[in-house]
Amino acid sequence: MTATVNMPVGKSWLICPGCRALLYQRRVERNLGVCPECDHHDQVTAHQRIEQLFDLDSVEELPPVGAFGDPLGFVDTVPYPQRIEAARRRTGLDEAVVCVRGAVEGQPLIAAVMDFRFLGGSLGTGVGERITRAAELALETRTPLLIVSASGGARMQEGVLSLMQMAKTSAALGALDEAGVLTISLVSDPTYGGVAASFATLCDVILAEPGARLGFAGPRVIQQTLRQPLPAGFQTAEYLFARGMLDDLVPRSNLRSTIGRLLAFAGADRSAPDPHPVRATPAPESADPWAVVALSRDLGRPSTLDYIGHFVDGFVELHGDRLASDCPAIVGGVGLIDGRPTVVIGHQKGHTVAEVASRNFGMATPAGYRKAARLMRLAEKLGTPIVTLIDTPGAYHGISAEENGQALAIADNIRMMAGLTVPVVAIVTGEGGSGGALALGVGNRVLMLANATYSVISPEGCAAILWNDSGRADEAAAQLKLQAGDLLALGIVDGVVPEPPGGAPADPGATASAVHRAVVDALAELAGLNREEVRAHRRARFRQIGGLTNAGG
């Protein structure tokens, strides 16, 4: 394993292992152990990490766990008890993890922080027991749990007892899932083996420091097995983030504020707003359908990230499907809407040709829908409502999408949304294209902006298939009844959000304010339903669409 620790040169100077720059030690310490020249994140001790993250004077160390001895009588170059004693003298710790309770930005938190200096942060029975007890305290007090990993893997001197700690800690995290308690993993460098394959990657949110390495097998083992060079950046946080395995890469200077926002989301008042009476929404005046199609596609319309910036406080974007990639056409995360914790998910296009292209024109891949599903499961676990913002010409239909199960991903989202027990408010803000839109559209309340569209297929696609002439798209637009007024009359949407004069591009701020009001009102209308009633309400809503109008029909 390559060394990543600053090398001392005299008493006051260090050599950065990243760029080999000669650094003044006090300068590095003031920068939280990060090289000011190349941004290399050096290893920090467990107590340094706790000091960097927690509020001053809020930390209480959890009671220590007794020594577990030498269960196997293991001897390598020295007996195991001697190795443990040497680690204790060298580090001042009695194990490779320190567990504490305290507060971050005023929000309560329990943390288990690993220290690589102690036998490489290896996972032995003492480490597993401490992390499990921290999780049990989090369960008992319903306090979010943070695990900071730094480990080379299992502790070989404890044999299969070490292996079983993976199961023990994973079961403890499973209990927190069942109880709806937020869990956060912070991956630091390095995190390998049994730690990577258990608690470090099982939390609701997985953050990583830049440059941190994460993997099951170490690179040396893989190279020896494959007998070929590894890809550049292999197993680094940046490499894994691009492949959808991490929620975010967070520089050390931003960790405290990021964790603070997550805790504010978890700790916010979950009581529903006062219910408002349901208001009838008049159908907008009819306009030329083809002109409305053009308005729905206008790049001046607010995007999902614009809406989030306007009315979602403390938003933390979460990335990746934890399987293959992070689709840029769907964005999502957690935040507060008028003080109430909410998961927000939406298609993202952008406002310039370059941005739209980088977002794949708002056409999501299977990874995008799986990311959305992961965030919906998080909302279900924590009991928070979901708001979806729909603006897509349809799901991406390339070869790679089909090979990776596009139809399966869409179908799974639709079924899962139908069965959620938390309120879902879906708003079509631009284009509502086919199954790619419906995969975020199974809501208790489905709304749309006045100049949005919602259709089984694009007008161009309809004209090409039925008339073999895509030039007749304007006729198809009229036939498809894809405008807000038509869809309100058909019972497809429950309300229409008005746009300012000239449409959404003319006044994006006013449009975002109107969407904000519509979201808050829709959530208030659902306030009186318990979780089972929320699910029954949503299923009944879609059950009646297209049903028989009378018994003899």
Side-chain angles (χ1 to χ4, degrees):
M1 190 173 295
T2 306
T4 61
V5 181
N6 286 318
M7 299 299 295
V9 181
K11 293 184 177 180
S12 302
W13 297 88
L14 302 168
I15 295 177
C16 172
C19 64
R20 309 303 296 173
L22 187 64
L23 304 171
Y24 185 53
Q25 183 172 347
R26 292 284 182 87
R27 184 184 180 197
V28 175
E29 290 172 353
R30 287 195 299 269
N31 207 36
L32 304 179
V34 178
C35 175
E37 302 296 330
C38 72
D39 202 39
H40 170 78
H41 281 55
D42 198 18
Q43 291 174 0
V44 294
T45 70
H47 286 106
Q48 287 173 328
R49 179 78 68 183
I50 291 164
E51 183 179 348
Q52 291 172 6
L53 294 179
F54 279 81
D55 296 349
L56 187 66
D57 298 327
S58 73
V59 175
E60 172 192 352
E61 195 159 330
L62 301 186
V65 177
F68 286 84
D70 180 16
L72 304 185
F74 199 98
V75 178
D76 45 85
T77 55
V78 298
Y80 180 47
Q82 291 183 24
R83 193 173 291 282
I84 287 283
E85 185 57 34
R88 287 173 175 165
R89 288 196 305 268
R90 186 172 60 254
T91 64
L93 303 176
D94 61 356
E95 251 303 349
V97 66
V98 178
C99 298
V100 299
R101 64 191 305 174
V104 175
E105 296 192 340
Q107 299 290 333
L109 177 67
I110 292 169
V113 183
M114 302 189 75
D115 196 315
F116 192 78
R117 299 174 305 152
F118 196 103
L119 298 185
S122 52
L123 175 59
T125 51
V127 172
E129 181 67 18
R130 290 187 178 200
I131 291 174
T132 300
R133 291 192 184 192
E136 289 169 346
L137 180 61
L139 179 63
E140 177 186 346
T141 59
R142 301 194 65 81
T143 303
L145 175 68
L146 167 70
I147 302 177
V148 183
S149 58
S151 176
R155 188 169 298 179
M156 290 177 287
Q157 295 90 342
E158 295 188 18
V160 76
L161 292 171
S162 171
L163 181 68
M164 293 303 110
Q165 303 312 302
M166 296 170 62
K168 183 164 76 176
T169 54
S170 298
L173 286 176
L176 291 174
D177 288 338
E178 294 165 6
V181 176
L182 179 69
T183 56
I184 305 169
S185 171
L186 171 57
V187 176
S188 70
D189 187 58
T191 297
Y192 280 108
V195 170
S198 58
F199 52 83
T201 52
L202 285 179
C203 292
D204 297 316
V205 178
I206 305 177
L207 308 176
E209 289 189 321
R213 292 165 295 168
L214 171 70
F216 183 56
R220 184 167 56 189
V221 173
I222 297 172
Q223 279 185 311
Q224 289 173 349
T225 302
L226 298 180
R227 300 188 183 280
Q228 65 185 43
L230 299 177
F234 183 67
Q235 292 186 325
T236 63
E238 291 78 3
Y239 186 92
L240 296 171
F241 179 73
R243 287 157 179 78
M245 306 299 177
L246 305 174
D247 281 293
D248 210 355
L249 301 178
V250 185
R252 194 169 291 166
S253 58
N254 293 341
L255 277 172
R256 177 176 155 81
S257 61
T258 300
I259 292 171
R261 294 200 306 275
L262 288 168
L263 297 178
F265 162 79
D269 184 6
R270 278 165 165 68
S271 60
D274 293 334
H276 298 175
V278 178
R279 294 169 296 142
T281 308
E285 294 182 7
S286 60
D288 174 46
W290 187 238
V292 173
V293 169
L295 284 171
S296 74
R297 297 171 175 174
D298 194 304
L299 295 186
R301 299 182 74 82
S303 69
T304 290
L305 288 176
D306 293 329
Y307 288 116
I308 287 171
H310 187 87
F311 61 79
V312 183
D313 297 323
F315 182 72
V316 179
E317 184 176 352
L318 304 177
H319 298 81
D321 66 348
R322 302 265 180 100
L323 179 65
S325 66
D326 179 43
C327 173
I330 286 184
V331 298
V334 300
L336 306 177
I337 297 180
D338 287 9
R340 188 181 187 194
T342 309
V343 170
V344 183
I345 307 165
H347 298 95
Q348 177 68 17
K349 287 183 179 177
H351 302 296
T352 66
V353 172
E355 186 180 1
V356 171
S358 72
R359 297 284 183 175
N360 201 30
F361 302 89
M363 297 187 296
T365 64
Y369 292 113
R370 289 175 180 134
K371 172 169 66 174
R374 185 171 72 81
L375 297 181
M376 291 178 200
R377 286 193 292 269
L378 176 61
E380 180 79 357
K381 168 184 169 175
L382 299 178
T384 62
I386 299 167
V387 172
T388 64
L389 302 168
I390 298 165
D391 185 12
T392 180
Y396 180 58
H397 50 265
I399 294 173
S400 62
E402 295 300 320
E403 290 177 339
N404 287 283
Q406 184 69 288
L408 279 70
I410 291 171
D412 187 58
N413 273 31
I414 293 171
R415 178 178 61 182
M416 185 186 64
M417 290 190 79
L420 292 170
T421 64
V422 295
V424 180
V425 175
I427 303 183
V428 183
T429 61
E431 291 182 276
S434 192
L438 184 60
L440 298 187
V442 185
N444 296 89
R445 288 282 184 268
V446 181
L447 311 173
M448 65 187 298
L449 283 167
N451 292 316
T453 59
Y454 201 179
S455 178
V456 68
I457 192 172
S458 70
E460 295 91 338
C462 177
I465 291 172
L466 296 183
W467 297 312
N468 201 29
D469 181 3
S470 60
R472 296 175 67 179
D474 55 341
E475 297 177 52
Q479 296 278 3
L480 286 168
K481 305 294 183 185
L482 44 66
Q483 293 175 261
D486 294 323
L487 296 168
L488 185 65
L490 290 169
I492 304 301
V493 300
D494 303 300
V496 180
V497 181
E499 296 187 26
D507 194 341
T511 304
S513 293
V515 169
H516 180 195
R517 289 192 299 273
V519 166
V520 172
D521 285 351
L523 290 174
E525 290 165 2
L526 301 167
L529 303 178
N530 64 38
R531 293 186 66 157
E532 286 303 319
E533 289 171 338
V534 164
R535 174 161 51 195
H537 173 278
R538 191 182 310 110
R539 286 176 171 169
R541 182 194 182 280
F542 284 88
R543 174 65 181 86
Q544 59 83 30
I545 296 176
L548 300 179
T549 57
N550 57 68

